[in-house]
Each structure stands twice: as structure tokens, then as C-alpha cells.
Amino acid sequence: MTISRETAINVTLALILLAMPFLALQLGKPFYVTLATRMAILGLAAVGLNLALGLGGLVSFGHAAFFGVGGYAAGILASHAFAGQPLNLGLFALPGTNQMLVVWSVAVLAGGLLAAAIGVISLRTSGVYFIMITLAFAQMTYYFAISWPAYGGEDGLSITIRNVVPGINTLIPINYFLVCYALLLTALLIFALIRGSRFGAALQASRQNKLRVASIGIAPFRIGLVAFIISGMITALSGALYADLNRFVSPSMLSWHMSGELIIIVVLGGVGRLWGPVAGAMLFVVFEFVLGGLTERWQFFLGLALLAVVLFARGGLVGFLAGRMRHG
Amino acid sequence: MQTALFIEQVLNGLQLGVMLFLMAAGLTLIFGVMGLINLAHGSLYMVGAFACATVAAATGSFWLGLAASLAAAAAAGAIIEILVIRRLYERDHLDQVLATFALILIFSEGTRWLFGSFPLYLDIPPLLRGTVPIPGGSRYQLYRLAIIGVGVAVAVGLFLLISKTRLGMRIRAGESDREMIGALGVDIRTLYTVVFALGAALAGLAGALVGALQSVQVGMGEPVLILAFVVIVIGGIGSIKGALVGALLVGLVDTMGRFLLPQLFGLLMNPSQAGLVGGALASMLIYIVMAVILWVRPQGLFAARG
């Protein structure tokens, strides 16, 4: 079996990301562990988006909604656990919790439900409508979070003590990195399995030609909706991790800048590529860190760089290193 | 008193509506003719507001500022069309979104660079200060009424421009078949630049007019841009008529929702909780309206293209 260039690049990326925090500890720079964790979490969020955007061709400008909902799931459950008050959901009461496994499940469930609600309406349309509608719905969750004062409103919500995983001390940065890294690998595995499945084939076909897919008896709407829901779930999971990393969640996680950044990450890395989102997240965090250290105006240069990539260098980092994909 | 308050809120809704129309008309025109989604439209709104505030502060005349805002926004629009946007017409929507998102970053950060992080203030011109009586015994700001007047005038002007003039004829032809009008000898590149600059000027005008009501600051265009998206999604992308109807609908629903919903919930629960629930629901109301309209008509109310 020959190893393709893309596989080699993927393995290299995986090893670099894994080695980074250990190297940082060796060099006595523990701050870089947090940076690597950030890469893994943003990479995970972008893997979720890549499922909809890369495989399904669904340009969602509203993935911040799922990211933020995951974050708020973590924050709200933790705050209830801390205050010792159950969360009253009308029909039943949910006890607060500081168990990440529970938090993740709730985040994934909430993200999936929100994605189902948004997807059912947005997927009735396509193209430019889809972009604007997903953006509008994400903005709706943003305004809701701001105007609902119970969980901090505009000020956001702090997580007093990071949530826990049985048997792992998540307060130690390297442990938390490994938790996030493991979830990232799991999500990539799911992405690869979906891409190789019959469902994945139908999804990619419906990106290329909806009419043909429909004419052989597959409903593109349903395929797209399922993909959108799974995509929202993965991004919501990353939101929960992100909230626990910063021990803080605020409406800015739901803002449309966040949606834009997630798209940037996917495109910088390579749309539809397995490890593209991770490459993009690594590049984005490095860019943010290096330029942010040099100048306060780093977003100006991010804009210029992005413009250059879109206009002149298509295919992203993985595309640049591994060559064009065999299929369009 | 209640009627006066009600009329005042309706007028506020209309004023928001015509502002949104100025934004949405440009966006929808650009999409209709060039097939381009322009996220940086909010930046052009900001450019208009900053130009107006700067020139008004330097010369002491709001009217010179207003002229400057039109000129600056149109010029900024023409420049980005020639440098960047022109390369995007043949690209897919993802590339258009990314490139125009990049333009937002450049415009926002660039403006912060030039003007600093503090907001600028723009005074209402002396001619339009003061209030006028409205039915119910209350008074309403003259300036806001003037904005509604400007919006109506622009709407009428735009309809005349598109239906009666040669430029309008070319715009309509460009919407239905660009290859054909190119073959007939119309210079499409110039036409596209002109349409883009026209849309930009409308956004700049909106920014300058609103600048006297709110503070002029970086990022002021973004909430308006997203509302304008809701407007054109409701109205049907590419349709000026749809933009007008959608803008008034969004303006009125948003303003009246914020006014009436807390009162409505006040009938059911205690006032503080009603304010909370009503306020939260009101902030989502236009998106719910959008969802309902899309459910019934996914292509919007007055879709121009299939």
C-alpha cells in the first residue's frame, strides 16, 4: 500500500499538534499548551463545519450559533451545579452538573436540536439565501443571549471551576489538551467514516448536482438536513470545550465574527479535506498569536491575507501541500 | 397619551424601515445585476457616517457632510469594485463571502487606525432641529420625519431611475441577460462599477443620516447589514419592490414588537418578568417572521429570479 501525499501531511499535522504542548512544557513555556488546546478546539469546530461546507456544499454563515450553544450548555450546567439549584425546563428539572461527559451530551443534543430547527427552514432554500438565513438565525441566538439576563446577558457567564472527567484532572493544562485532542481525533474519524459511506457519497453528490441526486430517488433535502445536524452537533461539542478552556462563555461566541472565523479556518486549511480544518485552525491561531503580538491591528492584516488567499491561492494549506483533489 | 405613544412608535418603525430600505436597495441591486453577495455593504454605511461626521466637524455644515458621505461611499464602492469585487463575479458564493468578509476586517480596522476607537458625534442640522405636533397631543422629532421623507424620495427616485432612464434599462437588461447586453455593445464593466457605486452611495447616505441619531463608530454597519439581509431575504433577492416592502415590514415589526410585546406579556405575568420575556422575544421577532415567510415562500415575497 502506498501512502498518498495527503496522508503523509495529515500524519505530520497530527504529530505536530500532539508534540507541541509537550515541547512547550519541556521549554518551560506552559502558555503554549493553552495555544495548542485552542488549536484542537477550533479545529474540532471547523471539522463540524467542514462536514456541511466541504462535503455538502452548504455555506453556513451561522455555525457560531452551535458553537455558542455548546458553550452556554457548559456554562449554564456548571453554574447550576455551583449554585446547587436544578435547571427548571418546564416539563422536567435537570440537575446542574460539573461532569464533562454529561455536559458534552447536553451540548451535542442542544446543538443537534438547534441545527434541526435552523436546517429545516434554511435548507428549503439554497445559494445566497442559505448563507443569509443561517447568518440571520445565528444572529437571533446572539440577540437572545444578550437580552436574556438570567445567564449574564451581555456580560457573559463565568465557569468558576473547570468541569471534570472521571479519572482525569482537567485542571492540569496538558491533560485538558489531551482530552480535546482525543475528541478531535474521534470527530475526524466520524468525518472520515461519513465521507466514505453511502450517505457521504449521496451528500457529496447533492453538493455537485441536486437534480441528479433527486432523479435517482434520493431526497437531497433529507441528506442535507442530517449532515447539517451532525455538523451542528460537532461544533456544539467544541463550543463546550472552548467554554471550559476559557472558563467563560459570552455572547461573543455566538457573534457572526465567530461564524466568519470558522469559515476562514476551513478555507485556509482546505475545504472538504479531512485534516484541512485542523491545518486551518493551527494556521489561524499562529497568525492571531504572532501578528497579535506584533501589532494591535492584526485583523487588518488578517483581512489582507485572507483577501490574497481567496483571490490568488485557492485550495487552502492542505491543497497547496498535497495538490488538487481528484474530484471537484 | 397611549395613542400618541403608539403613533410615535409607528413613526419610529417607519424611520427604521426607510433606513433599512436604503441599505437593502443597494444590496439587492448588486445581487440582482451582478449576482454578488456583498458583506462589506455595512462598511460602506460606516464610511458614509465617518465622512459626514468628519466634514461636518471641519466645516460646521451638516449639508456639506452629507454630500461628502455620498461622494466618499460611492468612491470607496467604486475603488473596491475595481480592485477586488470585479474578480469575484465568476466565483462561487463562498469566495464572495470570504473576500467581502476580509474587506470588512480591513475597513473596520483601517477606520479604527485612522479615527481611533472613540465614537464621533454628529449634530442634527439646525434647520431640522425641534419637534412637530402629532395626533394625540404629543410631539415628534422633525429630523426623524425628514429621514422618512428622504427614504420615500429615494424610493421614488430609484423606481424612476430603473423604469424610465437609459441606465435603468441597462440595469434591467443586465439582470435578465448579461451576455446579451454585452453583445449589444454595452460596456458591462463600467455598468457594474456604476451599479456598485450607486449601491454604495445609498448605504453611505443611510450611514450619514443615522449618524446624527446615534454615535458614529466602528462596527456600526454590522447590525444594520444583518437586518438588511433579513429584509432582502423576506422581500426576495434582486427585487427593489421586495426590498421596500421587506424593509418597512422589518422596521415596523421590530419597533412595534419591542413596544407591544412587554405590554402584552404584562397582561399575563408581573411587569418585571413581562419586560424580560417580552424583551427577549421582541429581539427575536423579526427572525421568527422571516422563518414563517420562508416557510410559506422560500424564494421571498417578490422573487426576481427563480
Side-chain angles (χ1 to χ4, degrees):
Chain A
M1 187 180 114
T2 53
I3 294 172
S4 79
R5 212 155 125 198
E6 186 169 343
T7 312
I9 291 165
N10 291 347
V11 171
T12 317
L13 281 172
L15 290 178
I16 292 176
L17 183 56
L18 182 61
M20 222 177 91
F22 291 100
L23 205 65
L25 287 183
Q26 284 296 315
L27 296 172
K29 302 228 166 83
F31 171 70
Y32 289 94
V33 181
T34 309
L35 226 51
T37 316
R38 213 175 128 76
M39 288 174 180
I41 293 172
L42 287 179
L44 178 63
V47 169
L49 177 59
N50 198 24
L51 190 68
L53 177 65
L55 296 188
L58 306 169
V59 184
S60 163
F61 209 132
H63 259 54
F66 312 126
F67 192 65
V69 159
Y72 269 98
I76 289 172
L77 287 174
S79 78
H80 278 279
F82 193 71
Q85 285 168 339
L87 173 59
N88 189 1
L89 289 176
L91 295 174
F92 59 98
L94 193 68
T97 180
N98 61 352
Q99 290 295 326
M100 277 194 197
L101 295 176
V102 181
V103 167
W104 295 342
S105 314
V106 173
V108 166
L109 198 69
L113 284 175
L114 184 64
I118 293 179
V120 143
I121 295 168
S122 332
L123 283 163
R124 290 165 67 88
T125 65
S126 61
V128 111
Y129 277 91
F130 185 81
I131 300 174
M132 293 186 194
I133 293 163
T134 46
L135 170 62
F137 280 124
Q139 205 63 12
M140 180 175 94
T141 62
Y142 173 75
Y143 284 124
F144 181 75
I146 282 187
S147 63
W148 193 253
Y151 297 108
E154 214 161 341
D155 299 330
L157 184 63
S158 289
I159 299 176
T160 318
I161 302 167
R162 185 176 286 164
N163 294 316
V164 295
V165 180
I168 304 172
N169 184 353
T170 52
L171 290 175
I172 298 173
I174 190 93
N175 288 354
Y176 192 59
F177 168 79
L178 289 173
V179 168
C180 297
Y181 189 77
L183 286 175
L184 173 65
L185 290 185
T186 314
L188 285 168
L189 180 69
I190 293 172
F191 183 93
L193 287 176
I194 288 178
R195 191 172 63 172
S197 69
R198 287 163 58 93
F199 170 75
L203 180 61
Q204 296 182 68
S206 70
R207 178 190 72 215
Q208 287 161 2
N209 195 331
K210 275 202 177 110
L211 214 55
R212 278 193 179 178
V213 171
S215 72
I216 55 169
I218 302 172
F221 177 81
R222 254 184 268 164
I223 299 276
L225 184 60
V226 172
F228 194 69
I229 292 173
I230 300 172
S231 167
M233 287 172 152
I234 296 176
T235 304
L237 174 65
S238 78
L241 294 174
Y242 194 74
D244 255 327
L245 173 70
N246 301 322
R247 283 192 269 150
F248 179 65
V249 46
S250 77
S252 71
M253 275 179 80
L254 294 158
S255 81
W256 74 304
H257 277 270
M258 192 69 229
S259 299
E261 282 175 10
L262 288 178
I263 297 185
I264 292 175
I265 288 173
V266 172
V267 171
L268 278 184
V271 179
R273 305 277 188 166
L274 180 60
W275 278 77
V278 186
M282 291 166 74
L283 207 62
F284 185 82
V285 172
V286 166
F287 203 87
E288 181 185 49
F289 180 70
V290 173
L291 267 185
L294 289 176
T295 162
E296 222 178 304
R297 311 271 172 238
W298 73 276
Q299 294 228 330
F300 184 83
F301 298 97
L302 175 69
L304 285 181
L306 182 63
L307 205 54
V309 169
V310 175
L311 291 182
F312 306 113
R314 304 169 74 188
L317 184 66
V318 177
F320 175 71
L321 295 173
R324 291 194 62 79
M325 267 192 281
R326 278 161 296 153
H327 46 84
Chain B
M1 193 57 221
Q2 191 67 17
T3 26
L5 198 58
F6 187 82
I7 292 170
E8 199 181 317
Q9 294 296 333
V10 170
L11 287 172
N12 281 343
L14 283 177
Q15 183 249 305
L16 177 61
V18 300
M19 279 299 93
L20 288 175
F21 171 69
L22 291 183
M23 284 291 282
L27 268 178
T28 208
L29 203 60
I30 288 167
F31 183 81
V33 179
M34 287 95 103
L36 177 101
I37 170 170
N38 178 25
L39 295 179
H41 211 65
S43 299
L44 298 165
Y45 173 91
M46 179 184 72
V47 166
F50 271 91
C52 185
T54 312
V55 171
T59 63
S61 161
F62 175 84
W63 305 106
L64 281 178
L66 203 60
S69 75
L70 282 169
I79 290 169
I80 60 171
E81 201 277 337
I82 290 167
L83 290 180
V84 179
I85 305 286
R86 187 169 276 187
R87 301 164 204 274
L88 297 171
Y89 296 139
E90 302 301 318
R91 299 290 191 85
D92 58 19
H93 294 312
L94 178 60
D95 283 355
Q96 298 177 349
V97 162
L98 278 168
T100 51
F101 188 77
L103 285 175
I104 294 180
L105 295 178
I106 295 170
F107 267 106
S108 293
E109 213 47 61
T111 309
R112 202 170 281 140
W113 216 337
L114 286 175
F115 292 92
S117 295
F118 293 103
L120 303 181
Y121 292 95
L122 183 60
D123 285 329
I124 294 172
L127 184 66
L128 297 175
R129 267 173 221 163
T131 55
V132 287
I134 51 172
S138 182
R139 304 184 69 83
Y140 193 72
Q141 258 186 307
L142 179 60
Y143 184 70
R144 286 180 187 264
L145 276 184
I147 290 184
I148 298 177
V150 170
V152 172
V154 169
V156 172
L158 215 50
F159 278 116
L160 290 178
L161 174 79
I162 290 186
S163 58
K164 303 282 183 214
T165 65
R166 180 161 285 269
L167 175 64
M169 199 167 74
R170 288 181 173 166
I171 289 174
R172 278 179 289 138
E175 277 177 342
S176 49
D177 194 336
R178 27 189 132 167
E179 281 80 19
M180 186 55 91
I181 63 160
L184 290 174
V186 175
D187 180 359
I188 301 193
R189 283 163 80 92
T190 314
L191 177 68
Y192 283 2
T193 311
V194 168
V195 170
F196 200 88
L198 176 67
L202 290 177
L205 175 65
L209 290 175
V210 171
L213 292 173
Q214 301 162 355
S215 57
V216 173
Q217 58 190 334
V218 173
M220 65 188 286
E222 295 171 8
V224 188
L225 174 80
I226 292 167
L227 283 183
F229 278 161
V230 173
V231 165
I232 63 177
V233 163
I234 288 177
I237 304 178
S239 159
I240 303 262
K241 198 205 305 175
L244 183 60
V245 174
L248 294 178
L249 186 69
V250 168
L252 283 172
V253 166
D254 190 51
T255 310
M256 297 318 280
R258 284 173 206 282
F259 171 57
L260 291 177
L261 277 179
Q263 298 189 12
L264 196 66
F265 280 98
L267 301 174
L268 304 170
M269 47 186 92
N270 68 52
S272 70
Q273 206 171 6
L276 210 95
V277 178
L281 194 62
S283 71
M284 309 202 305
L285 191 60
I286 50 164
Y287 304 101
I288 297 169
V289 169
M290 177 186 83
V292 171
I293 289 177
L294 288 175
W295 190 259
V296 184
R297 282 181 71 89
Q299 71 282 38
L301 295 174
F302 301 92
R305 354 168 111 188

